Amino acid sequence: MSVEDILYGIGESVDSAIHGIIDFINPSPSKEPPSFKYLSRLVKKRLTTHEYLSLKLQLAFLLYLIVNLGLLFIKASPLWLVGVAVVYFLYLRYTLVRNREFFVEHEPYRFFYYAISAISFAVFLGYLMIRRIATSIYYYYAYLLVAFAVVMAFRWYFKQRYGRDYTYGIVEEIKGDVVRVFVHDDIAANVKPGHYWVDAVEDLEIGRVVKLIVEDRKLKGAVPVKIIEVYLTDQSSQSSTEPNEETE
């Protein structure tokens, strides 16, 4: 390989890296669905694109919490918390903006993860400040109560703004008077992804989208309990649960 070829290769690599950094800092919505080469190897069951994206956000947030706890444990400088937060929020923004067309409902996820991440950053940074001025254990107790109150207030506000008592599912199996419905991860309805058995209603067929009432269960999230609408246009299994206009 000639010197010219080596320099050309280096130039291409640098140019590609620069474009990658610019795209990461200032992303734009993609028209092509993302690939989950590594994540799909960790997850044994088949997931939809929406489920994979939701899982990525959950894992990123969990990693962010673990790293910050580690920084608190080693008594790192607040600048480390700021640095980690900058990288995390850039990744969060990239994931949400780049893949906005592939969430079943984008806005609740965007608001939830930005808000809960900002609250977490403030809590960790505030703890470092409290640790410097605290003269007794009661400072920590008071701070934990304030942090808990903030989280509960956010939870209430999120439910008021985005919460709903229904979700959508896709009919996958009908057995007499009951039907098995696949439901996407739905942060607004607080429903976990999976298959749920509910009572059958009229006009059900395999592949149809249905609207379901959900019931809150403490510490377990909400669970679909009843079909209230049937959308007449068929859908492919575990694809989008966004209904079309035609209903029964």
Side-chain angles (χ1 to χ4, degrees), residues 88-116:
Y88 168 71
F89 274 95
L90 285 174
Y91 174 79
L92 186 61
R93 180 171 181 266
Y94 176 83
T95 303
L96 288 166
V97 173
R98 185 73 174 169
N99 304 294
R100 65 177 303 158
E101 302 299 328
F102 305 103
F103 285 94
V104 171
E105 193 175 3
H106 174 262
E107 180 58 25
Y109 286 86
R110 186 186 72 85
F111 178 83
F112 178 84
Y113 279 100
Y114 278 150
I116 197 65

Side-chain angles (χ1 to χ4, degrees), residues 20 23 29 72-73 87 99-100 110 125 133 150 186 189 216 219 232:
D23 185 53
L72 292 183
F73 181 76
V87 174
N99 304 294
R100 65 177 303 158
R110 186 186 72 85
L125 193 61
I133 65 172
V150 170
D186 189 343
D216 271 324
L219 304 178
L232 300 183

Side-chain angles (χ1 to χ4, degrees), residues 149-163:
V150 170
V151 172
M152 290 297 101
F154 164 70
R155 183 176 182 271
W156 175 85
Y157 179 76
F158 181 83
K159 290 186 71 174
Q160 293 298 310
R161 182 170 179 178
Y162 295 107

Side-chain angles (χ1 to χ4, degrees), residues 6 20 27-28 37 45 59 100 121 139 156 173 189 237-238:
I6 294 175
S28 57
K37 181 170 32 175
K45 59 182 180 180
L59 292 176
R100 65 177 303 158
F121 172 70
Y139 279 80
W156 175 85
E173 185 179 355
S237 178
Q238 297 193 24

Side-chain angles (χ1 to χ4, degrees), residues 13-243:
S13 299
V14 171
D15 182 68
S16 177
I18 291 174
H19 279 85
I21 293 172
I22 293 174
D23 185 53
F24 182 72
I25 294 174
N26 187 31
S28 57
S30 174
K31 295 181 180 179
E32 298 294 328
S35 61
F36 305 95
K37 181 170 32 175
Y38 300 109
L39 194 57
S40 60
R41 294 176 182 175
L42 298 175
V43 181
K44 301 301 181 181
K45 59 182 180 180
R46 183 169 62 94
L47 300 179
T48 64
T49 299
H50 172 83
E51 260 72 62
Y52 274 122
L53 288 172
S54 178
L55 182 58
K56 280 186 70 172
L57 292 174
Q58 292 174 46
L59 292 176
F61 180 64
L62 180 61
L63 180 61
Y64 175 64
L65 295 181
I66 292 173
V67 170
N68 279 335
L69 286 173
L71 292 174
L72 292 183
F73 181 76
I74 64 175
K75 299 182 179 181
S77 165
L79 291 177
W80 280 97
L81 285 179
V82 174
V84 170
V86 168
V87 174
Y88 168 71
F89 274 95
L90 285 174
Y91 174 79
L92 186 61
R93 180 171 181 266
Y94 176 83
T95 303
L96 288 166
V97 173
R98 185 73 174 169
N99 304 294
R100 65 177 303 158
E101 302 299 328
F102 305 103
F103 285 94
V104 171
E105 193 175 3
H106 174 262
E107 180 58 25
Y109 286 86
R110 186 186 72 85
F111 178 83
F112 178 84
Y113 279 100
Y114 278 150
I116 197 65
S117 298
I119 291 172
S120 299
F121 172 70
V123 168
F124 284 121
L125 193 61
Y127 180 81
L128 284 182
M129 300 299 104
I130 288 293
R131 191 160 61 184
R132 291 185 175 186
I133 65 172
T135 55
S136 72
I137 190 88
Y138 295 106
Y139 279 80
Y140 295 100
Y141 290 156
Y143 184 71
L144 288 175
L145 285 175
V146 171
F148 179 76
V150 170
V151 172
M152 290 297 101
F154 164 70
R155 183 176 182 271
W156 175 85
Y157 179 76
F158 181 83
K159 290 186 71 174
Q160 293 298 310
R161 182 170 179 178
Y162 295 107
R164 42 184 167 77
D165 60 357
Y166 63 88
T167 188
Y168 298 98
I170 302 172
V171 177
E172 292 202 342
E173 185 179 355
I174 301 173
K175 283 189 174 181
D177 295 332
V178 293
V179 56
R180 188 178 71 158
V181 179
F182 172 77
V183 175
H184 280 288
D185 172 80
D186 189 343
I187 198 171
N190 194 28
V191 174
K192 295 179 180 179
H195 295 88
Y196 298 88
W197 288 94
V198 295
D199 291 336
V201 296
E202 295 181 358
D203 299 309
L204 284 180
E205 292 181 8
I206 303 298
R208 282 189 174 174
V209 173
V210 293
K211 185 176 182 179
L212 304 109
I213 286 290
V214 299
E215 182 181 275
D216 271 324
R217 297 185 180 179
K218 292 182 180 180
L219 304 178
K220 293 183 179 181
V223 177
V225 294
K226 182 181 180 181
I227 295 174
I228 56 174
E229 286 186 36
V230 179
Y231 295 85
L232 300 183
T233 303
D234 291 350
Q235 303 283 336
S236 60
S237 178
Q238 297 193 24
S239 59
S240 173
T241 54
E242 287 298 309

